[in-house]
Amino acid sequence: MSFSMIRGNMESTLATRRRNEILEAALKVFSEKGYHAAKIEDIASELNMGHGTFYRYFENKLDIFNQVVEEIVSMITQLVTDINPHEAETLEDYRRQLEMIGDRLFGLFKSNPSISRVIFYEAFGIEDRGLRERIQEVFDLIGRYIELYLENGIARGYMRADLHVRETALAIGGALFEACKRVVSSSDPEQDLSVWKETIITLIIQGVKKG
Amino acid sequence: MSFSMIRGNMESTLATRRRNEILEAALKVFSEKGYHAAKIEDIASELNMGHGTFYRYFENKLDIFNQVVEEIVSMITQLVTDINPHEAETLEDYRRQLEMIGDRLFGLFKSNPSISRVIFYEAFGIEDRGLRERIQEVFDLIGRYIELYLENGIARGYMRADLHVRETALAIGGALFEACKRVVSSSDPEQDLSVWKETIITLIIQGVKKG
Amino acid sequence: MSFSMIRGNMESTLATRRRNEILEAALKVFSEKGYHAAKIEDIASELNMGHGTFYRYFENKLDIFNQVVEEIVSMITQLVTDINPHEAETLEDYRRQLEMIGDRLFGLFKSNPSISRVIFYEAFGIEDRGLRERIQEVFDLIGRYIELYLENGIARGYMRADLHVRETALAIGGALFEACKRVVSSSDPEQDLSVWKETIITLIIQGVKKG
Amino acid sequence: MSFSMIRGNMESTLATRRRNEILEAALKVFSEKGYHAAKIEDIASELNMGHGTFYRYFENKLDIFNQVVEEIVSMITQLVTDINPHEAETLEDYRRQLEMIGDRLFGLFKSNPSISRVIFYEAFGIEDRGLRERIQEVFDLIGRYIELYLENGIARGYMRADLHVRETALAIGGALFEACKRVVSSSDPEQDLSVWKETIITLIIQGVKKG
DNA sequence: AATGAATGAGCTTTCATTCAT
DNA sequence: CATGAATGAAAGCTCATTCAT
């Protein structure tokens, strides 16, 4: 699955197609080698392309990495904001929403495992304030959405009113991302996905306590 | 708090003391600039030391980063393995253990904030299989310890027997690390720490469900 | 004033017209940015023309610079050779000739200030023996013409017979070019031009000595 | 003759000696190849030195060129400001001063012909405002000194009071530099120098007019 | 004829590492 | 042991030139 497909980009001049190819190749190379070890040459030869060509489409190495991250960020954002946090009227509804999000996030990462490697690992090694902030933003966004779910649950009366919503949301986010990482690198992702979904959802809803 | 102090290293020839100073300086520099932006020169001048001297104590740049990470890993390991997972006889005991771990982990990261920056962020940007695995190991170790707590809880009968212990443990780990990151970078760490402890513990034990 | 106008080029196929446009644009760009900083792309976009087109009219970058210089050289040559050094029968005639040359040279440089910037400054930065020699030639040509004036003056008896004509001619050339540079870059060229003409002519004819 | 000798630099740590060697080599290379064609590698191999070493002593290519120019500028400045324009009481004194300046300027350029090539030719091809201004400054300085001579001559009564001193000074400067260029590149410099001195001085003092 | 996408030689610059002092 | 001058591999980036369309 390519960036352009996911974005539903229908217009595809030769130039934009080329651009997307390079973006795709860069994602692959960055995820395999990491930002610093990746050479522009590597990206270019991935496409049997002269490395000078790269610079017709992107300013420089940091520029393309930013854009790769931007693509990923916008995919995740779309995926997260797509579900209405206020819809869930019961705990059961909520559980279904959680499952849906898990499926989607995992679907995204599985469609192109490079995405998870870049967003969860490689992106942290770059000393660029803007980039760091952009990545923080997406994690924060997810956090804020989880907050909305919790607030909705509290308002509807099926969640405890004394929750620290922000912290609880971030904690759930942490657990969620751990699940994503593990499932993506699993040897039996389908099986693991279902176990993880059950685990996360149960943990969130009931905790570990008996009864 | 220095590495050597934490490790309780009593023997301190001139050479080992120097080594520890360099390790300390390297931790600082790596955490401030990141692995790639950090120059050997930076580490050396932190100690008003010729940068050639560096190579009398460490093989090369990757070597010292590995050792910095190793120090951190062993601190965390010690801290985690220090508590006996089988001691907690009741849910209340367990809650106390969780609090203790939270305090300790946070104490470690707060004593030297560079530690958290390196272990949570900088360490990911390096393309070195051995290093990656070493870091994964420490997260896995923590996961395994949390597993032991869960198994103990199940055996003692105060936790649900149908938990996927491994996955639940990793999920808890994910939430825990998120908490650590947030508290460390908080503007009011003490206040936040107590909120986070309550949040995490409540989430783990009861989940979000009302009642 | 364009190159073609000055050369009085009447035949103008589409191709030669295009060629002249490019030459014109190149003069502008070279004078603004200097040879090395000027990109073929810059010249092309000056004409809203694809930069590939450039190579239909000129061999390469050095080629067009040479031709730009050639145009300038031939303008100056024409201007200088246009006056007959043997016409001046008296010192007064000579003074009038000098004035005329000053007016013309300055007129040329003022009609297109790029010309002076290229010939006096940019042309020196290029490492191309042929080009250097071509430029030297035009300065030498002017020198030789000034020689002819001097020889004529000596023959007619109104100049000192013991002049080192070659060196005196070159010295006068040096003073003349300095005047050109200063007038061209002056904030009040008309005023400066008349002062400079008087200065140069007086210096040449009488020197600085009183009486 | 080296930069350091001329500057009378007595202190010569290993570092400053190295620096001067590089400056010297750079002067040679820049004068032979021109700024743009000169590679850092060329300067380095001139000294059988790794090209990385260059960067221990100079920021970058433009930096060293600036410093080469700065050395030249300060030599010329020293040489020019060394003679007191108010000393000449008679035209004969003035003539002797002119001769002295000619000898010195020529002596400088002859001691290291690269100097004249850099200051008269190569320095013009660089697109760097600061550099251009610095070079203009030295030419202007010489102009201002010549002005002082003229003003002194007028005050003493041996020069015409109606001279445009500034313009006359610059014109003389133009002639003077032309002489320098020619003598430096002459095949018989000694002979040419004496002819040129006589020519310039005669031209300045008497002009070309008979009687 | 006109175009501009593609190319890669060629440059500058950095910095981990070495080693003579 | 300590030093820091020297090194050169290695990478990013530019832009004149080519050539398929």
Side-chain angles (χ1 to χ4, degrees), chain D residues 61-116:
Chain D
K61 193 177 168 181
L62 185 56
D63 177 37
I64 199 176
F65 191 77
N66 266 303
Q67 303 214 29
V68 164
V69 168
E70 199 53 45
E71 293 287 337
I72 296 176
V73 161
S74 81
M75 287 178 199
I76 295 179
T77 300
Q78 191 182 333
L79 179 157
V80 168
T81 58
D82 216 33
I83 299 181
N84 184 349
H86 303 106
E87 265 175 3
E89 298 184 6
T90 66
L91 201 57
E92 196 47 40
D93 289 349
Y94 177 58
R95 171 188 290 272
R96 270 192 297 273
Q97 278 189 334
L98 283 174
E99 266 192 77
M100 200 187 304
I101 289 189
D103 285 340
R104 285 171 166 228
L105 266 180
F106 173 67
L108 172 62
F109 294 138
K110 200 186 157 206
S111 77
N112 195 337
S114 300
I115 289 176
S116 72

Side-chain angles (χ1 to χ4, degrees), chain D residues 18 50-53 56-57:
Chain D
R18 191 62 149 155
H51 65 282
T53 306
R56 292 186 55 71
Y57 296 89

